[in-house]
């Protein structure tokens, strides 16, 4: 099966999965809020963030080992893959055990992380259920990553979305019947365990050699490569987690647990958008990795510029929709008492856009294994984010925390990541990247203002008003982008690609 076909299958399955899973997830959140309330929602968001912090134990070992699998898989070197997977298994067994131990130790000290401790029974036991769910996911994850590295992500995706749907449907039913948060969490643990066991079994069928003991030891060069990439990913992992997972902890400690719940609704929406759009980037990562091993740097740069254009279109359009539609959607979904102010929404959209525009760079950096060069960047990013958030949160609340994240990204990731990608990955000047970034951003802002003028004619928070605003946001930005880029080389490339895909399907049906 070709790289292109595999990427298309991965993307198609992931998109279908997101389309099915996102509505189920939103219904589950609505039921959660109506049956358990804002305090449980805040605790759910806080404990999720704490467990993400504990995943620092993983230290970036996973991505480093996955990168080391690309070449032996491409060369069909079964013995080397077997040896790498043996190492992977040992590492993840230790990681899962350590996370469980750290979670148990942390449980008695939870009150120090919460400004207003909610009146929830057995809160330490609830936290331990989160710990169990997180820990067991590591014991079989290494086999999933072999499937992904071999460009068969669709296998993992099918299981993931199937179990996501199953667990959410079961949780909805049991929340209505029992209103019991413990049962809610136990269902999640059972489904996590089953998903991992079934995926491990699928991996064993696809790669029978996994059931055999490795007969070959890893060579020194491979071990050194894994150590080097793991060392680079340690700081990457720390910075990523501090940037993305301390927000809820800072809000809980300095603003209040209920605000964690309000903020988490918005994060659920942006995460859903990122999940849908991120499938495009996830699906092409392994292909880019193979491209980097076989093609010239000029070809790599040309492909990157096309992906950068697609990134702009996806996240420019989505940012405009998010700004004008998120509060009307919240009002219909869970009620306008769960709104955040428009100032906070604007900051959230700015963060969403600048994080989204990094996706092309991050996809190529990951696929080309360029972790080492910007290994200290995440540490600076994390320190800046945490320091500014702690200073601003007492004065500005949730907005202060978002400002901290925005500033940390602009002062680090915004310039360091593309710099090393162009210098080490493409060996090309960086000016074209920032010029296009500036043009794309200016067009997004102007398009957003024009769209806002159209949305302004529609008033009210009814479902009809939301549909009207949605239609304006759907058509106006895309028509403006189309008018401006119809003759651009990047747009013509994707148009031709789409035509070829449709033509092949037609020919196949006729044949």
């Amino acid at each position: 099966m070709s790289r292109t076909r595999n990427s298309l299958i991965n993307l198609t399955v992931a998109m279908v999965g997101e389309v099915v899973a996102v509505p189920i997830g939103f219904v589950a959140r609505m039921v959660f809020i109506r049956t358990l309330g804002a305090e449980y929602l805040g605790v759910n968001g806080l404990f999720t963030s704490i467990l993400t912090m504990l995943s620092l134990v993983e230290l970036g070992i996973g991505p480093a080992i996955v990168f080391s699998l690309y070449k032996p898989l491409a060369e069909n070197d079964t013995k080397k893959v077997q040896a790498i997977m043996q190492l992977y298994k040992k590492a993840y067994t230790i990681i899962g055990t350590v996370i469980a131990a750290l979670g148990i130790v942390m449980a008695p000290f939870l009150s120090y992380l919460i400004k207003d401790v909610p009146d929830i029974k057995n809160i330490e036991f609830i936290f331990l259920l989160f710990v169990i769910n997180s820990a067991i996911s590591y014991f079989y994850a290494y086999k999933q990553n072999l499937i992904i590295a071999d460009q068969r992500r669709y296998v993992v995706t099918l299981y993931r979305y199937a179990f996501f749907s199953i667990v959410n449907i079961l949780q909805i039913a049991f929340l209505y019947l029992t209103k019991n948060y413990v049962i809610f969490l136990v269902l999640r643990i059972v489904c996590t365990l089953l998903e991992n066991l079934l995926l491990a079994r699928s991996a064993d069928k696809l790669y029978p050699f996994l059931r055999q003991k490795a007969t070959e030891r890893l060579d020194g060069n491979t071990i050194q490569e894994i150590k080097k990439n793991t060392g680079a990913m340690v700081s990457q992992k720390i910075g990523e987690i501090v940037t993305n997972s301390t927000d809820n902890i800072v809000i809980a400690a300095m603003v209040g647990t209920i605000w964690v719940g309000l903020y988490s609704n918005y994060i659920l929406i942006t995460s859903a958008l990122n999940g849908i759009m991120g499938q495009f980037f996830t699906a092409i990562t392994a292909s880019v990795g193979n491209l980097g091993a076989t093609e010239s740097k000029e070809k790599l740069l040309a492909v990157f510029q096309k992906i950068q254009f697609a990134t702009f279109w996806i996240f420019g359009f989505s940012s405009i929709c998010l700004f004008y539609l998120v509060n009307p959607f919240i009002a219909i979904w869970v009620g306008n008492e769960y709104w955040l102010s428009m100032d906070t929404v604007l900051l959230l959209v700015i963060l969403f856009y600048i994080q989204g525009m990094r996706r092309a760079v991050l996809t190529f950096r990951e696929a080309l294994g360029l972790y080492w060069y910007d290994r200290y960047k995440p540490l600076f990013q994390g320190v800046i984010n945490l320091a500014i958030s702690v200073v601003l949160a007492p004065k500005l609340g949730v907005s202060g925390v978002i400002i901290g994240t925005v500033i940390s990204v602009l002062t680090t990731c915004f310039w360091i990541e593309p710099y090393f990608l162009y210098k080490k990955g493409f060996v090309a000047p960086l000016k074209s990247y920032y010029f296009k970034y500036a043009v794309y951003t200016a067009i997004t802002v102007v398009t957003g203002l024009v769209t806002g003028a159209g949305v302004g004619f529609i008033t009210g928070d009814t479902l009809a008003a939301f549909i009207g605003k949605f239609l304006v946001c759907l058509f106006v930005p895309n028509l403006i982008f189309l008018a401006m880029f119809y003759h651009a080389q990047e747009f013509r490339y994707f148009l031709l690609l789409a035509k070829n895909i449709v033509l092949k399907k037609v020919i196949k049906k006729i044949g």
Side-chain angles (χ1 to χ4, degrees):
M1 195 179 288
S2 69
R3 291 193 309 240
T4 303
R5 187 181 175 194
N6 260 340
S7 294
L8 288 173
I9 293 174
N10 289 337
L11 179 59
T12 302
V13 171
M15 291 299 292
V16 171
E18 285 287 339
V19 168
V20 173
V22 167
I24 293 174
F26 278 103
V27 171
R29 175 60 63 93
M30 181 177 66
V31 172
F32 187 102
I33 291 171
R34 293 181 179 179
T35 55
L36 296 178
E39 286 190 335
Y40 277 93
L41 184 63
V43 166
N44 197 74
L46 174 62
F47 287 176
T48 300
S49 293
I50 292 173
L51 265 298
T52 305
M53 289 288 292
L54 286 182
S55 70
L56 272 172
V57 173
E58 198 260 354
L59 296 177
I61 293 171
I65 295 180
V66 167
F67 177 75
S68 70
L69 286 168
Y70 287 142
K71 187 176 180 180
L73 282 170
E75 296 174 349
N76 200 27
D77 188 349
T78 301
K79 291 186 180 299
K80 188 168 183 179
V81 171
Q82 191 180 35
I84 292 172
M85 293 303 294
Q86 195 72 22
L87 173 65
Y88 209 166
K89 178 181 179 180
K90 291 178 182 177
Y92 264 39
T93 301
I94 293 170
I95 289 166
T97 304
V98 172
I99 285 177
L102 288 175
I104 292 169
V105 171
M106 281 188 66
F109 304 99
L110 290 175
S111 59
Y112 295 101
L113 297 174
I114 304 174
K115 182 180 181 181
D116 304 310
V117 180
D119 185 20
I120 296 175
K121 294 180 180 179
N122 304 316
I123 196 164
E124 289 85 4
F125 178 67
I126 287 170
F127 176 71
L128 290 176
L129 292 177
F130 274 84
V131 172
I132 293 169
N133 186 68
S134 179
I136 62 175
S137 67
Y138 283 93
F139 295 127
Y140 297 96
Y142 69 99
K143 292 187 178 181
Q144 300 177 28
N145 287 330
L146 174 61
I147 298 173
I148 293 170
D150 198 26
Q151 300 188 61
R152 292 175 173 176
R153 181 179 287 272
Y154 58 88
V155 176
V156 177
T157 303
L158 282 170
Y159 277 103
R160 185 157 296 162
Y161 286 116
F163 274 95
F164 176 87
S165 301
I166 291 168
V167 71
N168 274 276
I169 291 169
L170 288 173
Q171 286 175 329
I172 289 169
F174 275 89
L175 279 178
Y176 267 126
L177 292 171
T178 67
K179 295 183 172 62
N180 190 308
Y181 188 46
V182 171
I183 293 176
F184 175 92
L185 295 175
V186 169
L187 287 170
R188 182 190 297 173
I189 292 170
V190 171
C191 285
T192 297
L193 182 60
L194 288 175
E195 178 188 344
N196 280 276
L197 287 172
L198 291 174
L199 268 170
R201 191 177 70 172
S202 293
D204 288 338
K205 288 181 179 179
L206 287 169
Y207 313 100
F209 59 82
L210 288 178
R211 293 193 291 263
Q212 302 167 7
K213 189 174 181 180
T215 57
E216 189 176 285
R217 295 177 65 87
L218 281 178
D219 59 278
N221 289 335
T222 302
I223 293 173
Q224 283 302 116
E225 180 186 65
I226 292 173
K227 285 182 178 179
K228 180 181 177 181
N229 286 331
T230 300
M233 286 301 296
V234 169
S235 59
Q236 299 280 359
K237 186 82 173 178
I238 292 171
E240 176 188 322
I241 289 176
V242 171
T243 299
N244 297 329
S245 303
T246 56
D247 286 357
N248 280 344
I249 297 173
V250 172
I251 293 169
M254 309 192 76
V255 185
T257 310
I258 288 179
W259 286 97
V260 175
L262 299 183
Y263 183 55
S264 69
N265 286 333
Y266 287 78
I267 296 302
L268 178 65
I269 294 169
T270 57
S271 296
L273 289 173
N274 275 314
I276 293 171
M277 298 175 300
Q279 299 304 330
F280 169 73
F281 302 96
T282 301
I284 65 173
T285 299
S287 295
V288 173
N290 286 324
L291 196 69
T294 58
E295 299 288 351
S296 67
K297 296 186 184 300
E298 290 77 13
K299 177 67 179 292
L300 270 176
L301 178 57
V303 172
F304 170 79
Q305 289 171 339
K306 293 178 177 67
I307 301 301
Q308 185 188 11
F309 171 76
T311 304
F312 143 70
W313 195 304
I314 291 169
F315 284 95
F317 163 67
S318 301
S319 297
I320 293 168
C321 291
L322 184 64
F323 181 72
Y324 292 112
L325 298 177
V326 67
N327 270 357
F329 177 77
I330 292 282
I332 295 169
W333 177 36
V334 291
N336 55 19
E337 65 269 23
Y338 287 88
W339 271 356
L340 295 175
S341 70
M342 285 306 295
D343 291 341
T344 304
V345 170
L346 176 60
L347 290 169
L348 190 65
V349 171
I350 291 171
L351 178 61
F352 174 80
Y353 176 79
I354 62 175
Q355 293 281 48
M357 288 294 284
R358 295 171 58 204
R359 295 298 287 266
V361 173
L362 293 176
T363 297
F364 275 72
R365 189 200 67 175
E366 179 181 344
L368 299 178
L370 302 175
Y371 310 117
W372 180 258
Y373 301 104
D374 64 350
R375 60 192 180 279
Y376 299 120
K377 171 216 67 183
L379 297 176
F380 289 102
Q381 181 190 359
V383 170
I384 292 168
N385 175 51
L386 191 57
I388 295 175
S389 297
V390 168
V391 170
L392 295 182
K395 300 175 183 178
L396 301 177
V398 175
S399 292
V401 174
I402 300 174
I403 289 171
T405 307
V406 169
I407 292 175
S408 72
V409 174
L410 290 177
T411 54
T412 55
C413 309
F414 177 72
W415 65 273
I416 293 175
E417 289 167 351
Y419 172 79
F420 283 113
L421 177 62
Y422 271 72
K423 183 178 180 180
K424 302 294 183 180
F426 304 143
V427 192
L430 188 57
K431 290 180 181 178
S432 62
Y433 170 81
Y434 283 116
F435 175 76
K436 288 186 176 183
Y437 194 110
V439 170
Y440 292 154
T441 302
I443 290 171
T444 300
V445 171
V446 172
T447 303
L449 293 173
V450 174
T451 306
V455 170
F457 288 105
I458 305 171
T459 58
D461 296 322
T462 63
L463 179 59
F466 176 80
I467 293 172
K469 293 174 183 177
F470 172 78
L471 291 174
V472 172
C473 290
L474 177 64
F475 288 107
V476 172
N478 284 308
L479 288 173
I480 292 174
F481 290 171
L482 182 63
M484 297 196 72
F485 292 102
Y486 184 76
H487 295 291
Q489 181 182 356
E490 293 87 352
F491 178 79
R492 304 299 295 180
Y493 168 81
F494 284 105
L495 183 63
L496 181 62
L497 183 64
K499 285 181 179 178
N500 287 338
I501 293 170
V502 173
L503 184 61
K504 284 179 181 178
K505 288 184 177 180
V506 171
I507 292 172
K508 189 175 181 181
K509 285 184 179 179
I510 293 173

